């Protein structure tokens, strides 16, 4: 073990889980995230718990929206209870993603947008505006869709986000 692994084994496993998920290895990601979660719970490492729960929820979302929602709700509650504002926003964002996938209303997306603005997570705001656009088009709210698409394009340009092509497509 190197020094980082010895000092922070839960954090290292959580990071490895994110890397595995990004590498399209969901089973490895879930295994590493579960191990990180167990270690983090034993050591009261609440931020690492949020990170591990996020990965577990993202993996679960591939096959089971209800299981994914439970993971993200737990991450949200943990972040809320321990004052991790960015992790709270991330969990809320994941919950809103489930709402989009499951064709629910846009309440949580609007809540994510407000929270992301309040915390300065402007890339998240642009991403949420993109998802709001798609949801509003689907619900026939073309005026609202135009407003959110325009906001996403403007913010993506200003911040030079890789989201810009997608935002422009939504605007079109």
């Amino acid at each position: 073990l190197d020094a980082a692994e010895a000092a922070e084994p839960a954090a290292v496993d959580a990071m490895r889980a994110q890397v595995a998920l990004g590498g399209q290895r969901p089973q490895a990601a879930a295994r590493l995230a579960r191990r990180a979660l167990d270690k983090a719970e034993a050591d009261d490492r609440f931020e690492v718990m949020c990170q591990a729960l996020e990965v577990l929820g993202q993996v679960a979302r591939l096959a089971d929206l209800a299981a994914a929602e439970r993971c993200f709700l737990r991450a949200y509650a943990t972040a809320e209870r321990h004052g991790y504002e960015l992790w709270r926003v991330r969990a809320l964002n994941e919950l809103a993603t489930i709402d989009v996938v499951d064709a629910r209303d846009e309440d949580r997306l609007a809540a994510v947008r407000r929270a992301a603005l309040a915390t300065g997570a402007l890339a998240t705001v642009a991403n949420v505006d993109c998802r709001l656009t798609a949801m509003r088009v689907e619900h026939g709210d073309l005026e609202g869709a135009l407003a959110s698409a325009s906001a996403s394009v403007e913010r993506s340009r200003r911040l030079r986000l890789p989201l810009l092509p997608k935002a422009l497509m939504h605007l079109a």
Side-chain angles (χ1 to χ4, degrees):
L1 292 179
D2 68 11
E5 288 178 300
E8 296 288 340
V12 171
D13 279 344
M15 185 60 66
R16 285 181 174 160
Q18 286 184 310
V19 170
L21 187 60
Q24 305 300 313
R25 295 180 295 126
Q27 292 166 333
R31 181 181 46 76
L32 287 161
R34 272 194 229 66
R35 193 166 73 188
L37 182 60
D38 290 344
K39 291 174 186 175
E41 286 175 320
D43 295 335
D44 290 334
R45 295 294 316 274
F46 303 112
E47 190 171 6
V48 177
M49 287 174 62
C50 292
Q51 186 178 7
L53 286 164
E54 181 180 80
V55 171
L56 288 170
Q58 289 169 342
V59 171
R61 188 172 52 217
L62 298 172
D64 186 347
L65 289 180
E69 189 164 22
R70 287 190 300 275
C71 288
F72 298 136
L73 285 169
R74 184 171 172 208
Y76 180 87
T78 301
E80 178 88 2
R81 188 174 332 112
H82 298 286
Y84 293 111
E85 189 60 25
L86 185 56
W87 284 107
R88 188 182 72 79
V89 170
R90 289 175 66 130
L92 188 57
N93 189 40
E94 295 291 353
L95 289 164
T97 298
I98 289 174
D99 292 349
V100 172
V101 170
D102 208 24
R104 301 178 188 174
D105 62 37
E106 66 181 60
D107 291 350
R108 282 199 281 210
L109 270 176
V112 171
R113 190 178 194 287
R114 287 189 302 274
L117 274 172
T119 60
L122 300 180
T124 299
V125 175
N127 195 311
V128 167
D129 282 337
C130 235
R131 288 188 288 153
L132 276 169
T133 300
M135 191 174 245
R136 289 172 175 169
V137 166
E138 192 171 306
H139 290 115
D141 177 10
L142 300 183
E143 194 172 302
L146 180 60
S148 56
S150 297
S152 183
V153 166
E154 186 275 324
R155 187 162 276 120
S156 295
R157 275 195 178 125
R158 188 166 22 100
L159 299 174
R160 297 183 177 156
L161 298 175
L163 176 68
L164 182 59
K166 183 178 180 179
L168 285 166
M169 182 190 72
H170 281 270
L171 183 60

